[in-house]
Amino acid sequence: VSLDKACRILHFFCQLPLGKSQADALLRQLAQHWEGEFDAICDLLAHAAIVHMDETGWKIGKEGCSLWTFASELQRVFLFGCHKDSATLDEMLPPDVFQGVGISDDAAVYRHRFVRAQKCWAHLLRKAIRLALLYPRKKSYQRFLDRLLELYYDAKRVAADGRLSDSGRQQRVTQLENRLCELCQTYLDKTPTEMKPHEQDFFNLLNELVERMLDEELFTFVLVPGVEPTNNLSERLQRTPAQDRKAGRTSKTAAGAHRRSVIVSVLESLRANLEEFTLPNVLHEIHRWMADGISLFRKQWEAMREASLVPVPDTG
């Protein structure tokens, strides 16, 4: 909610006459206090086995920029007011550090970026569904969608089959890739010389599927346990900020965007860690940080270091 509305809520429910400038100062102090926790969350994310990521539009004042979200099993990072470029991605997931699986859409900034990757099937299927719905007289679009969905559901069944060995999974992936290649080639061979806009969209989708298959980024979820075939986790995280953007509740300054990044990242990471995300539980956890002198995220980072999962820097 906006600061004005937050002040009115506090006054109504808590009889706390808080001014807008006071609320702003308190949020600024909270972000400064949580800066270390934010850094620890970013470090944990860079060493995670699986990271979901997605981006959407944002604004700082009148300047257009991006909101980038990153999510691992227990960490959530929101970067409000960042640039959607390789420099930002390298800062969050340094190539010499992040060796996990990156789950994303097919934006150019993600291509050939990770040791292993999983492209979001939801994005690909939506493109096929859109063509089938907008052009019902083109029966070939519906037939293609039906076969693509069948292949996708077969891949999900293979991924969920706990009886398969690693070699068995690899064999099934080879079979799935052969089916997809055959499916796409059937329609690529029939591509007309002069294409209408929707035919160009279909041609681009076919090429996208083939290219991502050749890059081995479509069926990673079948081979690696814990990897999901879609990027829905990151998309869900962006729903509330997207509503804020539509309502004009974006950032006024770069400092405000960073403050928002710190506070939202810590709270959303707490949501992922706490058994029940309620105000009493959040306050109890934060009070424990103050009593123990160490936060939950710093404990996780130290545990990772002690398990030798992170190399200790040479200070000599």
Side-chain angles (χ1 to χ4, degrees):
V1 298
S2 65
L3 283 180
D4 287 327
K5 189 171 183 179
C7 291
R8 290 197 298 270
I9 290 172
L10 287 172
H11 187 269
F12 182 83
F13 287 102
C14 306
Q15 291 76 54
L16 180 62
L18 193 67
K20 184 176 178 179
S21 60
Q22 292 173 302
D24 184 72
L26 288 172
L27 287 174
R28 185 168 58 250
Q29 292 176 28
L30 180 61
Q32 292 172 352
H33 185 67
W34 277 354
E35 191 75 43
E37 278 61 53
F38 177 74
D39 291 340
I41 293 170
C42 291
D43 288 334
L44 288 164
L45 185 89
H47 291 85
I50 301 169
V51 175
H52 296 249
M53 59 204 81
D54 201 4
E55 72 292 325
T56 188
W58 195 252
K59 281 188 176 182
I60 296 180
K62 295 183 178 180
E63 179 185 356
C65 49
S66 296
L67 159 63
W68 217 328
T69 55
F70 299 85
S72 61
E73 182 181 8
L74 296 176
Q75 290 80 42
R76 307 285 188 266
V77 174
F78 290 69
L79 293 182
F80 291 91
C82 66
H83 295 289
K84 181 186 172 182
D85 55 19
S86 296
T88 302
L89 192 58
D90 287 345
E91 183 178 356
M92 287 303 306
L93 300 174
D96 59 335
V97 174
F98 180 64
Q99 300 298 306
V101 178
I103 303 177
S104 68
D105 57 27
D106 195 28
V109 70
Y110 300 122
R111 290 179 187 170
H112 309 114
R113 175 60 179 70
F114 308 113
V115 176
R116 303 192 78 167
Q118 173 63 59
K119 294 308 178 188
C120 178
W121 270 89
H123 283 77
L124 298 168
L125 291 171
R126 286 173 197 151
K127 294 177 182 179
I129 292 170
R130 176 181 175 276
L131 288 170
L133 291 176
L134 290 180
Y135 304 96
R137 294 185 179 181
K138 290 282 291 186
K139 300 301 181 183
S140 57
Y141 292 167
Q142 185 62 55
R143 288 194 294 269
F144 175 80
L145 173 60
D146 291 342
R147 293 185 62 184
L148 188 63
L149 282 171
E150 180 183 2
L151 189 149
Y152 170 64
Y153 290 135
D154 286 346
K156 289 190 68 175
R157 280 190 285 271
V158 174
D161 191 345
R163 301 168 298 175
L164 293 173
S165 63
D166 290 344
S167 60
R169 289 180 179 276
Q170 186 60 64
Q171 290 176 1
R172 295 296 184 88
V173 165
T174 300
Q175 294 170 1
L176 291 166
E177 289 176 341
N178 289 338
R179 285 173 56 188
L180 180 60
C181 185
E182 180 183 355
L183 172 61
C184 292
Q185 195 61 47
T186 300
Y187 292 93
L188 285 171
D189 290 341
K190 300 176 182 178
T191 302
T193 305
E194 295 184 4
M195 291 183 284
K196 298 177 181 178
H198 64 86
E199 292 173 332
Q200 184 65 56
D201 290 340
F202 185 53
F203 178 76
N204 291 340
L205 174 59
L206 294 172
N207 276 326
E208 184 179 358
L209 285 164
V210 172
E211 290 173 0
R212 299 294 74 79
M213 181 193 65
L214 294 176
D215 290 338
E216 300 181 346
E217 295 179 341
L218 288 183
F219 299 107
T220 305
F221 75 98
V222 178
L223 300 172
V224 182
V227 174
E228 297 179 14
T230 69
N231 200 25
N232 289 342
L233 174 58
S234 287
E235 290 186 341
R236 289 195 301 271
L237 291 175
Q238 291 188 346
R239 286 176 184 171
T240 298
Q243 292 174 350
D244 292 343
R245 183 190 62 212
K246 290 179 181 178
R249 295 196 299 268
T250 52
S251 304
K252 300 297 186 293
T253 64
H258 178 70
R259 180 179 76 183
R260 189 170 190 151
S261 299
V262 172
I263 295 175
V264 174
S265 297
V266 172
L267 288 176
E268 287 297 328
S269 296
L270 279 173
R271 185 195 298 272
N273 280 269
L274 295 177
E275 185 174 347
E276 188 176 1
F277 187 69
T278 63
L279 180 58
N281 287 347
V282 170
L283 293 176
H284 179 271
E285 177 62 27
I286 293 173
H287 289 157
R288 188 194 61 73
W289 298 356
M290 298 172 66
D292 296 349
I294 184 171
S295 71
L296 167 68
F297 309 114
R298 290 174 186 261
K299 274 190 173 183
Q300 292 173 345
W301 176 244
E302 289 187 1
M304 184 179 288
R305 295 284 292 270
E306 291 174 0
S308 299
L309 296 176
V310 181
V312 179
D314 183 6
T315 58

